[in-house]
Amino acid sequence: MSPTPSPVIVVAPDSFKGSASAAQAAAALARGARAVAGPAATIIELPMADGGEGTLDALLATWGTEPLTAETTDALRRPCTARYGLSADGSTGIIEAAEANGLPQVADLDLRPLDADTYGVGLIAARLLDAGVSEILLCIGGSATTDGGTGMLTALGARFLDAQGSPVGPGGGALSSIARVDVKTLHPRAATISWRIAVDVDNPLCGPRGAAAVFGPQKGATDSDVATLDAGLAHLATVLDAEAAAKQPGFGAAGGLPLALVSLVGAETVPGAELVSTAVGLRNALAGADVVLTGEGRLDTQSLGGKVVDAVRRTANPDTRVVVIAGAVQLDAATCREAGLTAAFSIASGPAALPELQADAERLIEDTAAQACAALGLGSGTARTVGP
């Protein structure tokens, strides 16, 4: 009888928010798989993210590079320090916009939704352009801003002018005053590189499902502010001759940040999990995989609509078994089967408070991965692990 081939196992989880980063979760899944599959198994670690919080850390872990820091400004243009990243070959930069324009950075002040802007994000982008990157991956969740990306483009040299030819003030409250845009002083490399913007919502720019109406209140906007911001974004789309683009899903993300970037430098919006999948080489990794272990804090219907689990299940080959390990599993077995998932396991072995699970998350993820691999009948054999 010929020996059973050693399995190829890919571990590609999202973070377990508040409990384990994607890199920590991937390492825990790998340990659990290795304990059962044995030393001959090939285990590939690919920390994942959906373009929101944790995307920077997930990509840096996969690339094997350390975060860089830049002196920039927060959403109210106060000096701050933000992290960003570079691929190992220096060709691709990654910005997690909330490092500069995120809500936590301005939590010490009363929220000022009409004034907050994305200028600090642009300062980081300018640094990457000066470093010679050929691509920037921009992850935009968690913003405190609703400025249509005007602040970011201002930092890159564009001028948003009123009817008298004077620069308008910062923030979404000034958008309705913009009469024209001067790009003569735009950074010389801004329109020559590839920009990909990770979005994790499908909201259009304006209207009842738009940036201001849906996300403005959490950024401190009153009903009056929402009306001002929504009208300003619609006006900006007209000035940029981008009314059609503004109706597309995703343009309402991060206060309409994609609008100016798409219009002025040719940026492309992509689902966040798809962007990360491409950046880390998920398709190639899964090409020869027998099993893929993925996971997140909670597996529910949203997981199947653009999140990491969705990206993994859609990318995996039909004969690759896809197993989800999650803090909580809220999909029944039939739904999992219909979605192409082999099985889903919760790390909670019994009644437990959330703080207990969070405190012991990595051990529980590891143990559940071992249980899952045993249930799949993975054999043992001389281990090698591929990953960061």
Side-chain angles (χ1 to χ4, degrees), residues 299-301 303-304 324 328-345:
L299 179 69
D300 56 22
T301 55
S303 306
L304 305 178
V324 180
V329 174
Q330 298 185 335
L331 299 180
D332 59 27
T335 302
C336 287
R337 286 195 302 273
E338 290 169 6
L341 305 177
T342 304
F345 298 87

Side-chain angles (χ1 to χ4, degrees), residues 4-342:
T4 302
S6 300
V8 176
I9 304 168
V10 174
V11 294
D14 197 352
S15 64
F16 285 58
K17 289 182 173 57
S19 305
S21 69
Q24 290 169 331
L29 290 172
R31 290 193 300 270
R34 191 180 302 114
V36 172
T42 297
I43 301 175
I44 302 170
E45 296 181 41
L46 284 183
M48 292 283 294
D50 62 8
E53 177 188 1
T55 302
L56 174 64
D57 289 330
L59 287 186
L60 292 180
T62 299
W63 290 341
T65 60
E66 294 296 322
L68 305 171
T69 57
E71 296 304 315
T72 184
T73 59
D74 66 18
L76 297 175
R77 297 210 183 180
R78 299 180 301 172
C80 71
T81 301
R83 302 181 310 147
Y84 67 103
L86 269 175
S87 61
D89 64 1
S91 66
T92 301
I94 178 171
I95 301 172
E96 199 166 289
E99 288 271 324
N101 77 325
L103 278 166
Q105 279 69 21
V106 293
D108 59 316
L109 299 176
D110 290 337
L111 295 175
R112 291 158 46 189
L114 300 182
D115 301 323
D117 82 342
T118 53
Y119 189 84
V121 183
L123 293 179
I124 304 172
R127 179 177 286 229
L128 284 169
L129 293 173
D130 290 342
V133 299
S134 58
E135 179 179 41
I136 290 179
L137 310 180
L138 180 62
C139 306
I140 61 175
S143 77
T145 56
T146 311
D147 74 344
T150 54
M152 182 172 180
L153 267 294
T154 298
L156 292 175
R159 300 172 71 226
F160 295 86
L161 308 174
D162 62 19
Q164 287 71 48
S166 299
V168 303
L175 296 179
S176 290
S177 299
I178 297 172
R180 65 185 181 90
V181 184
D182 179 2
V183 295
K184 291 193 297 291
T185 55
L186 187 65
H187 193 292
R189 299 194 66 242
T192 67
I193 71 159
S194 171
W195 296 80
R196 285 192 289 154
I197 307 172
V199 297
D200 60 356
V201 298
D202 62 0
N203 303 73
L205 184 72
C206 301
R209 293 191 65 249
V214 175
F215 305 110
Q218 71 191 42
K219 302 174 186 183
T222 63
D223 289 346
S224 175
D225 294 336
V226 167
T228 297
L229 293 168
D230 191 65
L233 290 169
H235 175 75
L236 177 62
T238 299
V239 171
L240 295 174
D241 194 24
E243 295 97 329
K247 296 176 182 178
Q248 295 178 12
F251 269 67
L257 192 155
L259 180 64
L261 282 166
V262 171
S263 301
L264 298 178
V265 299
E268 173 191 10
T269 60
V270 296
E274 177 184 314
L275 180 149
V276 176
S277 299
T278 301
V280 304
L282 180 66
R283 185 171 300 280
N284 287 340
L286 291 180
D290 299 295
V291 176
V292 55
L293 302 178
T294 185
E296 60 180 345
R298 176 186 301 168
L299 179 69
D300 56 22
T301 55
Q302 292 186 30
S303 306
L304 305 178
K307 300 297 186 181
V308 167
V309 169
D310 186 43
V312 169
R313 72 177 178 122
R314 292 182 182 278
T315 306
N317 294 326
D319 56 350
T320 299
R321 290 174 287 179
V322 181
V323 176
V324 180
I325 308 250
V329 174
Q330 298 185 335
L331 299 180
D332 59 27
T335 302
C336 287
R337 286 195 302 273
E338 290 169 6
L341 305 177
T342 304

